[in-house]
Amino acid sequence: MTTPVRVVRGARTDAGARPPGFRDLFLQLEYVRLVRRGVQDLRTRGRLLQYLVGTDLKRTHADTVMGQVWWLIDPFFSMAIYAILVTVVFQRSIPDAPLFLFAAILPWQWFQTSLIDATTSVTARGNLIRQIQFPKLVLPAASTIAGTITFGFGLLSLAVLYLVYPSRLSPWLLALPVIAVVQYVFTLALAVLFSGINAFYRDVQNLLRHVVRIWFYASPAIYSVAALKGSVFGIALALNPFTYLLTSYRNVAYYGQAPDWVGLASVLLISVVLLGFSIWVFKRIETGFAKIL
Amino acid sequence: MPHATYAIDVEELGIRYNLHLTRRTTIKGSLAEWVGRRQRDEHFFWALRHISFRIAHGESIGVLGPNGAGKSTLLLALAGILAPDEGSVRIHGRVSSLLTLGAGFEMEVSGRENIALLGAFMGIRHRVMQELTPSIIEFADIGPFIDAPVRTYSSGMRARLGFSIATAIAPDILLLDEVLGTGDEEFRARSQARIHDLVERARAIVLVTHDLNSVAEYCSRSLLMEKGRVLFEGPTPETVEFYKDRIRKRKAQIAEQEAARAAAGLPQPVALDELPGEPASRQVEPPQPGTLESLASPGQSG
C-alpha cells in the first residue's frame, strides 16, 4: 500500500522540468486543470453518487402511503390542471390536449425539480462540508441524477397515455433519449453553477423559484411555437433553449415527426460550453464552502 | 521527497475569514458593501497566521490556548477541510479528525444506510466499508434502531453511531478535538478504550485540549496558541507552565484594573466574559461533555 500524500498550497508554483509541448501548456491552463479535476471528482466518486441519489429519492416521498407511486401520479395531476386551464379557461381547442401538454410538461418538471433541488444541495450539507473533505461537485450532480430517475418513472405514465391515444405513437419516439441527454447537460450546467453561487448568496434559491416560473410560461409548454410566430415573443422564444427542447419532445411524442436536430445541436453546444464554465467556477469557489456554511 | 520524514509539515500557514461573506450574506448587502467602501483588507479576519511547525512520525503534539485562539481552525486546516490562504500544509498519511460526531447524518434513511453514505463521503472503499459495517453496528450498540430512520434516534444514539463510524478506521494521523466522551458510563468507557487504541496505532497525533493536567499524558510536545499565532512551542510541561503563568498574569492584571476602577468610583463591570485583548468575534466552542473545565479556560474565571 502506498502512503497518500496531500500537499495543499496557498500560492501556486508550477515548474516544468522539460520544455512543455503544446498539449502540456494546454493542460496546465488553470481552466483546463480545474475542469478536468471536476470531471475526475465525478468519475472517481461513483459509489458516493449512487448512495446520494438513493437517499435523495427516498427523502422525497418518505412517509407517504403510496411511496414511489407518487412519481407516476405527480405529472398526471399537473397535466390535468393545465389541460383544464388551456381547454376550459382559455377555450383553446387542441386535439388530444392531454398528450400535447404532457409531452412538454413532463420534461419541464424534470428540469424544474432537478435545478431547484440542486441549487440548495450544497447549503443543505453544510454540516458535512465542515467535517469531511470530499469533492462537493457530487452534490449538485446527485440532485440532477435523482431528478432524472424520477423523470424516467414519469415516462411510464406517458406510456399509459398512449393507451388512450394509440394513433399518436410513432418510431420517432425512439429519439426521445437523445433530446433528454441534451436537456440533462443543460440542466447540469445550470445546477452546478447555481449550487456553488447559492452557498455564498442565498438570494439565488429565492430568485430561482420565480425565474423558473416565468421561464415556464415563456417556453412553449402549454402553447406551441406556431401560436406566437411573428410576434415580439417570437424573438424571446428563439433565444430560449427550451423552445428547441420542448418542440423536439412534442415532435417525437405528439406529432410523430423528427426532432429539431439543428436546434438540439445548438443547445448541446452551448450547454457543453456552459458546463465547462460552471465546473470551473464551482472548483474555484469550492474551497471557500467550509468557511461560510 | 524532502519532507517525507515528517507526518505533518506546516509552513507559514494562514487562514482568513471574509467577515462580509457569512451565511447571512445577500447580494444586496454585498453590493452596498462593494459600492460603499473599497478598502478590502479590513474585511478579513485572520483566524490563523504565520503558523509553522512540523510533526515527525511517531510524535504526538498538544495544542493549548484560550477559546478563539484558532485551535479548531488549525485542525480543520490539517484535515484538509479548510484550504490555506497563505503558506502550505503537507500531510503524509491518511488523516482522520474525530469531528464527525453525529452531525451530517441523513435523517430520512436508516442508520445502516448512513454508515454506507458516510463511508462513501470519507472516501473509504466500498469493500472495506462492507467489511467494517458489522463491527460499526456492534460498537454503536443501538439494537434494532440500526434499521430505523436516524430521525427517530435519541441524541445519545446519534452520537454513538457517529463515534462508531468516525473511529472505524485507524488513521495514520489522528486529529482530536478534546479527549472525547459521549453517552452513558458504559459507552464512555468503551469509547475511551477505542481512542486509546487509535492513539496507539496512529503514527502522529494532534490533540486540542483545555485539560492541562492530562495533556502531558498524551503529548510530549505542545503548542500554545493565541489570536491565531503560535505563542510558545516546547516540551509539554514547559508549555503548560508558560500558559499557567500567562493566565495568572492576566488575572492579576484584571484584578488590578478592577481595583483601579473601584478606587476611581466607576461602576463595576457586571459580568466578565472575556479577557481584554481577545478578539471580539471569538468562535464559541461547544461545551465538551465529560471533560474537566480546569483553570485552563480563562472564560470561566469567577
Side-chain angles (χ1 to χ4, degrees):
Chain A
M1 232 180 85
T2 52
T3 322
V5 177
R6 179 162 55 79
V7 181
V8 194
R9 274 194 210 105
R12 284 192 189 80
T13 47
D14 287 324
R18 66 194 163 81
F22 177 74
R23 188 168 180 274
D24 296 322
L25 279 177
F26 177 72
L27 292 178
Q28 265 180 23
L29 287 176
E30 198 224 7
Y31 173 79
V32 179
R33 263 207 334 238
L34 286 180
V35 173
R36 286 184 71 197
R37 208 178 303 156
V39 174
Q40 246 169 11
D41 284 351
L42 296 180
R43 279 178 42 195
T44 55
R45 290 304 190 102
R47 185 70 66 168
L48 177 56
L49 273 172
Q50 185 192 322
Y51 287 144
L52 274 174
V53 169
T55 49
D56 262 15
L57 290 177
K58 262 183 203 146
R59 199 171 33 191
T60 43
H61 288 303
D63 289 332
T64 55
V65 179
M66 290 192 285
Q68 274 73 358
V69 182
W70 279 111
W71 291 346
L72 297 172
I73 299 171
D74 280 338
F76 260 118
F77 270 112
S78 26
M79 182 269 290
I81 291 165
Y82 288 116
I84 292 166
L85 185 78
V86 171
T87 57
V88 178
V89 181
F90 294 134
Q91 305 267 316
R92 291 256 174 173
S93 66
I94 300 166
D96 303 340
L99 187 63
F100 176 87
L101 294 170
F102 204 77
I105 289 172
L106 192 64
W108 177 267
Q109 287 201 327
W110 168 32
F111 171 71
Q112 179 180 318
T113 44
S114 297
L115 189 59
I116 288 177
D117 288 354
T119 298
T120 53
S121 64
V122 169
T123 46
R125 302 256 175 197
N127 261 336
L128 209 61
I129 289 172
R130 269 179 290 119
Q131 289 175 332
I132 301 175
Q133 160 61 18
F134 65 94
K136 266 63 87 176
L137 205 55
V138 297
L139 298 175
S143 297
T144 56
I145 294 172
T148 307
I149 291 171
T150 316
F151 172 66
F153 275 89
L155 286 178
L156 291 179
S157 36
L158 182 67
V160 175
L161 263 191
Y162 280 118
L163 296 178
V164 187
Y165 309 106
S167 60
R168 293 279 178 184
L169 258 176
S170 89
W172 279 114
L173 199 59
L174 295 173
L176 193 136
V178 180
I179 313 170
V181 165
V182 177
Q183 185 185 333
Y184 181 75
V185 177
F186 181 68
T187 310
L188 183 64
L190 290 187
V192 167
L193 187 64
F194 291 170
S195 65
I197 299 175
N198 191 56
F200 293 88
Y201 299 105
R202 307 295 160 98
D203 310 62
V204 174
Q205 68 191 55
N206 297 333
L207 198 61
L208 189 68
R209 277 197 309 259
H210 304 292
V211 169
V212 165
R213 195 172 301 152
I214 295 166
W215 197 345
F216 173 74
Y217 290 108
S219 305
I222 54 173
Y223 51 87
S224 64
V225 185
L228 286 176
K229 218 160 219 168
S231 72
V232 193
F233 296 109
I235 302 162
L237 278 182
L239 296 172
N240 181 354
F242 269 93
T243 303
Y244 307 103
L245 289 169
L246 297 184
T247 304
S248 296
Y249 281 115
R250 198 165 273 151
N251 279 357
V252 300
Y254 178 76
Y255 292 114
Q257 294 170 359
D260 177 1
W261 291 119
V262 178
L264 283 182
S266 325
V267 174
L268 182 63
L269 187 72
I270 291 167
S271 303
V272 168
V273 173
L274 184 63
L275 181 60
F277 171 76
S278 300
I279 293 178
W280 173 66
V281 170
F282 193 94
K283 290 301 287 180
R284 286 205 61 169
I285 61 180
E286 180 186 41
T287 48
F289 291 165
K291 280 186 193 167
I292 52 150
L293 288 175
Chain B
M1 241 178 283
H3 301 294
T5 47
Y6 293 100
I8 296 175
D9 184 355
V10 176
E11 250 174 76
E12 278 295 303
L13 170 67
I15 294 214
R16 68 180 182 200
Y17 282 86
N18 188 333
L19 294 177
H20 297 272
L21 266 185
T22 59
R23 61 165 69 214
R24 286 167 188 278
T25 312
T26 60
I27 290 173
K28 182 180 158 242
S30 263
L31 278 181
E33 198 62 51
W34 191 62
V35 173
R37 269 175 293 164
R38 307 213 85 178
Q39 311 98 308
R40 307 220 42 196
D41 246 23
E42 64 194 61
H43 292 195
F44 293 121
F45 168 70
W46 288 90
L48 294 177
R49 202 156 200 196
H50 306 307
I51 306 278
S52 297
F53 63 89
R54 285 168 172 175
I55 301 177
H57 285 297
E59 202 183 5
S60 301
I61 194 162
V63 181
L64 307 171
N67 287 342
K71 306 185 295 293
S72 300
T73 309
L74 179 63
L75 281 198
L76 288 174
L78 295 180
I81 293 163
L82 291 181
D85 295 302
E86 252 183 24
S88 69
V89 173
R90 285 162 219 256
I91 303 285
H92 294 262
R94 193 197 152 77
V95 195
S96 170
S97 56
L98 297 189
L99 304 163
T100 39
L101 267 123
F105 278 131
E106 186 66 51
M107 291 296 159
E108 292 298 337
V109 302
S110 72
R112 197 185 293 274
E113 286 164 299
N114 267 292
I115 294 174
L117 183 64
L118 283 177
F121 265 122
M122 293 191 281
I124 298 167
R125 282 175 184 283
H126 177 62
R127 199 172 297 163
V128 176
M129 212 54 211
Q130 272 184 324
E131 281 167 20
L132 285 172
T133 303
S135 65
I136 292 174
I137 293 172
E138 193 194 51
F139 191 87
D141 192 23
I142 55 173
F145 271 93
I146 195 68
D147 289 310
V150 171
R151 157 174 58 83
T152 62
Y153 288 20
S154 71
S155 57
M157 286 158 77
R158 257 173 234 172
R160 277 161 171 252
L161 186 60
F163 180 87
S164 186
I165 296 171
T167 57
I169 285 197
D172 301 325
I173 298 163
L174 183 64
L175 308 175
L176 280 170
D177 200 344
E178 241 8 296
V179 182
L180 306 142
T182 23
D184 53 29
E185 207 55 50
E186 182 266 347
F187 188 75
R188 199 175 306 158
R190 279 198 296 140
S191 57
Q192 294 284 2
R194 189 168 229 190
I195 286 181
H196 279 288
D197 180 50
L198 290 184
V199 164
E200 262 166 42
R201 286 159 73 180
R203 285 194 287 170
I205 298 155
V206 179
L207 169 68
V208 165
T209 184
H210 283 296
D211 189 350
L212 295 188
N213 301 317
S214 73
V215 62
E217 196 182 306
Y218 291 97
C219 310
S220 52
R221 202 154 61 92
S222 288
L223 308 173
L224 172 62
M225 292 185 65
E226 206 181 277
K227 291 186 215 165
R229 315 281 172 118
V230 173
L231 212 63
F232 191 91
E233 182 185 348
T236 299
E238 283 178 35
T239 313
V240 169
E241 202 39 56
F242 183 88
Y243 188 28
K244 282 182 175 169
D245 201 43
R246 205 171 160 78
I247 294 169
R248 271 196 295 272
K249 276 185 192 153
R250 279 274 165 98
K251 278 188 176 165
Q253 220 175 28
I254 291 162
E256 224 168 81
Q257 279 171 357
E258 269 176 42
R261 269 169 169 273
L266 287 167
Q268 294 290 316
V270 183
L272 194 67
D273 259 328
E274 240 163 59
L275 289 172
E278 282 216 345
S281 63
R282 61 173 182 174
Q283 286 168 283
V284 180
E285 288 165 352
Q288 304 290 339
T291 52
L292 299 171
E293 273 296 325
S294 62
L295 73 163
S297 41
Q300 309 288 318
S301 59

